[in-house]
Amino acid sequence: WRLYALSSGLGLPIPRPYRAPYIPGITVMIPHYGETIIMSKGELFDRGSSEQSRRSHVQVGRMCKVPVREMVPLIDWLKARYVDEYRAFTHRMEARGMHIGGVPWEEMEDHHWDKICVWASMRMQTLWRTVAGICLYHPALQVHYDTQKISSSCLAQADIWNPADCFTCLVSMQIYNSFDKAKLSQTNKMFNKFPESLKVAYIDHEDLYPRSDDAASARRREEAEQQASLDHVHPRQARRYWSCLIDKKCPLQPDLRRTPRYRIELPGFPILGDGKSDNQNHAIPFMRGAFCQ
């Protein structure tokens, strides 16, 4: 079926390609719920499994020795699976003054593990790997602009056209608001790595009616009811929901969260039970361009 589709497509008329800087906008949407963002040291190396792998047999009774299933840390499997790539990785680190090759896992420091976790994340099913692959659109568009731009265009002048103007990598993080410090730190690390095109949309909510019975809560409840009435919120709706957008330029708060750039109120609870589609639908207002992937 794939070969038939490919052969049929080869017979179709080839559309006229776009030339920089007249490139239509494209937004790539990536759904995310609770999947791994970046591999951690605890996931890659478990001291207990490393010690158990040295014991190849266990004594049962007086005479019988039963072989046990060998358990190795995940980083050892990745190192054995990607031998050439790990060797090239250690050579790059040594060129930067960071000696990793030949050092036991137990003796590596935290800054060593930061590099190893990123290397391992590029070879596992992680959000970092997906975002890194999609964000290759950005340098590809820049190369296209440098080699095939229309020099006579006003947009082709220096410091005017930017690949981020026509490419957006939009990650729909449904539960970003409930991330712990580890995942918030990993998200900020992605912002630092891909500052130009990466944006994150998440769902925020606010309780309309505080449950406490003190005077301050009663006053806030009255103010919330008045504001909800002005915004035509249904009287039986106990929460208000917003779709929020953050990027690298948003201010960083002390709890490692970022202040949203935009907040668009949703008509109600956005999760309908349809899985990934619900996760992405609330981020549609933040799409830019004529194409969506």
Side-chain angles (χ1 to χ4, degrees), residues 5-48:
L6 176 62
S7 60
S8 300
L10 293 177
L12 297 176
I14 299 177
R16 184 178 180 181
Y18 295 98
R19 289 189 62 184
Y22 304 107
I23 298 178
I26 178 174
T27 299
V28 181
M29 300 182 66
I30 304 174
H32 178 269
Y33 184 78
E35 296 82 5
T36 302
I37 300 177
I38 302 176
M39 301 297 295
S40 63
K41 176 183 176 181
E43 294 173 320
L44 293 174
F45 178 71
D46 185 3
R47 188 183 300 273

Side-chain angles (χ1 to χ4, degrees), residues 208-227:
L208 281 174
Y209 313 115
R211 299 180 180 180
S212 302
D213 296 331
D214 56 346
S217 298
R219 184 171 60 254
R220 290 197 303 269
R221 179 190 180 104
E222 183 178 355
E223 293 175 355
E225 289 178 349
Q226 293 177 358
Q227 186 64 38

Side-chain angles (χ1 to χ4, degrees), residues 188-207:
N188 292 329
K189 191 172 183 177
M190 282 200 308
F191 280 132
N192 295 330
K193 181 65 175 179
F194 314 103
E196 296 292 337
S197 302
L198 179 61
K199 294 177 174 55
V200 169
Y202 68 95
I203 299 174
D204 193 11
H205 64 82
E206 179 182 342
D207 291 330

Side-chain angles (χ1 to χ4, degrees), residues 15-223:
R16 184 178 180 181
Y18 295 98
R19 289 189 62 184
Y22 304 107
I23 298 178
I26 178 174
T27 299
V28 181
M29 300 182 66
I30 304 174
H32 178 269
Y33 184 78
E35 296 82 5
T36 302
I37 300 177
I38 302 176
M39 301 297 295
S40 63
K41 176 183 176 181
E43 294 173 320
L44 293 174
F45 178 71
D46 185 3
R47 188 183 300 273
S49 63
S50 178
E51 294 176 354
Q52 186 176 357
S53 64
R54 301 189 182 98
R55 302 193 301 268
S56 59
H57 294 78
V58 61
Q59 186 76 28
V60 179
R62 295 183 179 180
M63 302 295 295
C64 181
K65 286 186 177 182
V66 179
V68 298
R69 178 177 298 177
E70 186 176 0
M71 297 177 60
V72 297
L74 180 58
I75 185 61
D76 283 336
W77 182 88
L78 289 173
K79 179 181 177 181
R81 176 64 177 81
Y82 303 98
V83 178
D84 296 336
E85 296 181 19
Y86 185 80
R87 185 185 300 112
F89 166 70
T90 56
H91 290 169
R92 291 196 304 270
M93 293 299 102
E94 290 178 359
R96 302 175 185 177
M98 187 180 301
H99 300 284
I100 295 180
V103 180
W105 305 120
E106 299 89 345
E107 300 178 6
M108 288 190 178
E109 301 179 1
D110 292 340
H111 64 279
H112 292 160
W113 278 107
D114 290 340
K115 301 295 184 181
I116 294 174
C117 289
V118 173
W119 178 86
S121 298
M122 290 297 293
R123 287 147 187 87
M124 297 292 293
Q125 191 173 356
T126 60
L127 179 64
W128 179 277
R129 177 181 178 178
T130 305
V131 172
I134 294 299
C135 283
L136 291 177
Y137 271 119
H138 190 277
L141 290 172
Q142 183 64 46
V143 170
H144 178 65
Y145 171 79
D146 294 337
T147 57
Q148 297 185 358
K149 64 182 178 181
I150 302 177
S151 303
S152 60
S153 173
C154 297
L155 297 177
Q157 298 179 7
D159 300 329
I160 292 183
W161 189 83
N162 190 343
D165 296 337
C166 57
F167 167 67
T168 302
C169 179
L170 181 60
V171 182
S172 178
M173 288 184 171
Q174 181 177 325
I175 57 174
Y176 170 85
N177 211 27
S178 59
F179 277 178
D180 55 10
K181 288 187 177 180
K183 286 198 172 184
L184 289 173
S185 178
Q186 294 173 357
T187 305
N188 292 329
K189 191 172 183 177
M190 282 200 308
F191 280 132
N192 295 330
K193 181 65 175 179
F194 314 103
E196 296 292 337
S197 302
L198 179 61
K199 294 177 174 55
V200 169
Y202 68 95
I203 299 174
D204 193 11
H205 64 82
E206 179 182 342
D207 291 330
L208 281 174
Y209 313 115
R211 299 180 180 180
S212 302
D213 296 331
D214 56 346
S217 298
R219 184 171 60 254
R220 290 197 303 269
R221 179 190 180 104
E222 183 178 355
E223 293 175 355

